[in-house]
Amino acid sequence: PRSVVRMMVEILDPKEGESIYDPACGTGGMLSVAQGHLRDLNADARLEVFGQELNPETWAVCCSDLLLKGQDSSNVILGNSFSEDGHAGGTFDYLLANPPFGVEWKKTKDEVETEHRTQGFGGRFGAGLPRINDGSLLFLQHMISKMKPASQGGSRLAIVFNGSPLFTGATGSGESEIRRWIIENDWLEAVVALPDQLFYNTGINIYFWIVTNRKAPRRQGTVQLVDARESWESMRKSLGDKRKHLSDVQIDDIVRLYDAFE
């Protein structure tokens, strides 16, 4: 929902003239919220937006929306981010995504396994491969590969997950090895746990991760855990599985908790 995206964007805090990338951008909602956040601070500010989308109709809506807002739609690529990386070799200041929960990656299995086997950490999937029925951690590795090197200022990313990437996979599994790689590189800055019933198509609890290779000195060597599962208000009328929402005050409180490093 828009409230969750707004909170993620406020925590990322993109600046004028910087770039932001969404590898599963849908109709471009996350990119629009990021642009809106910047323009609330400065009406003339521009954010360079990049994206990729698998569904042709959804991609067309995203491009149309960008054109209506005076943005360059040529930076939004049609295709599968895993097998047809439309921004190969590109890096971005900020990365933002809400990939589909529990999406299988069977259709791109050959390409992903080949890249993992032949390129290792020189490719996108060197740390490991998750189980075939959940590509969430493939999206995260794909995004990490597009962070700018720390020597060039580094990058910050935020991604929405269900509980699976946090908890699935025993020691030595693909999921466990990916988590270990991220934590040992000290890239995981924070995990924010949100209430259930926030999304109209699922009632489960959701989390968003903040990952960065430019941690502030006081955050280095730590991971901040923010428990916001009880921060919600009931909706007057439910919308599918969505029965709760976050008020502006609650969003501000969660962002303040993050900023205060508590």
Side-chain angles (χ1 to χ4, degrees):
R2 192 176 184 85
S3 58
V4 174
V5 180
R6 186 194 128 193
M7 185 162 44
M8 294 164 68
V9 169
E10 286 190 15
I11 287 174
L12 288 184
D13 195 22
K15 301 292 192 297
E16 155 73 21
E18 292 183 315
S19 60
I20 191 162
Y21 167 67
D22 183 344
C25 64
T27 57
M30 285 191 142
L31 298 174
S32 292
V33 172
Q35 290 173 306
H37 169 74
L38 201 60
R39 285 178 178 159
D40 286 344
L41 303 175
N42 176 359
D44 297 322
R46 289 185 67 82
L47 190 62
E48 202 173 359
V49 298
F50 297 81
Q52 183 153 351
E53 172 53 34
L54 174 65
N55 182 291
E57 292 179 2
T58 312
W59 167 80
V61 172
C62 180
C63 291
S64 300
D65 187 58
L66 287 173
L67 287 170
L68 287 170
K69 292 174 179 173
Q71 287 277 346
D72 181 5
S73 65
S74 65
N75 291 332
V76 178
I77 308 300
L78 175 64
N80 190 303
S81 292
F82 297 158
S83 58
E84 312 162 81
D85 183 1
H87 296 286
T91 57
F92 308 96
D93 298 299
Y94 300 92
L95 306 98
L96 191 64
N98 177 18
F101 296 151
V103 65
E104 67 173 33
W105 47 281
K106 190 179 295 182
K107 289 181 180 177
T108 58
K109 182 174 184 287
D110 290 346
E111 294 93 337
V112 169
E113 288 184 343
T114 298
E115 182 169 335
H116 170 70
R117 185 178 64 254
T118 61
Q119 297 186 39
F121 287 104
R124 296 170 292 167
F125 309 120
L129 301 179
R131 61 198 63 202
I132 199 77
N133 62 358
D134 189 356
S136 299
L137 287 171
L138 290 183
F139 274 109
L140 180 53
Q141 287 186 90
H142 170 77
M143 292 167 77
I144 288 172
S145 77
K146 300 195 178 304
M147 295 198 302
K148 292 185 173 181
S151 60
Q152 295 176 21
S155 301
R156 292 172 58 73
L157 76 82
I159 188 167
V160 179
F161 283 147
N162 61 14
S164 178
L166 271 177
F167 305 118
T168 299
T171 302
S173 67
E175 292 90 350
S176 178
E177 289 303 299
I178 296 164
R179 289 190 293 261
R180 184 165 71 90
W181 170 67
I182 292 168
I183 290 170
E184 287 184 352
N185 277 289
D186 198 19
W187 292 331
L188 184 56
E189 182 170 278
V191 177
V192 180
L194 294 171
D196 60 4
Q197 301 176 41
L198 277 183
F199 281 59
Y200 79 92
N201 57 350
T202 178
I204 60 176
N205 277 95
I206 57 171
Y207 305 80
F208 68 85
W209 296 22
I210 304 295
V211 177
T212 182
N213 58 353
R214 61 178 206 219
K215 278 189 180 182
R218 66 176 181 155
R219 290 183 177 272
Q220 290 173 5
T222 68
V223 178
Q224 182 184 15
L225 304 176
V226 179
D227 185 355
R229 288 174 295 177
E230 298 304 319
S231 295
W232 56 272
E233 292 182 355
S234 293
M235 293 177 62
R236 290 179 182 173
K237 184 179 180 182
S238 62
L239 183 65
D241 290 309
K242 180 176 171 59
R243 299 179 179 87
K244 300 175 181 177
H245 73 102
L246 301 172
S247 69
D248 289 346
V249 171
Q250 288 164 334
I251 293 170
D252 291 343
D253 285 344
I254 295 168
V255 173
R256 264 197 299 272
L257 270 177
Y258 163 80
D259 285 339
F261 191 34
E262 293 178 356

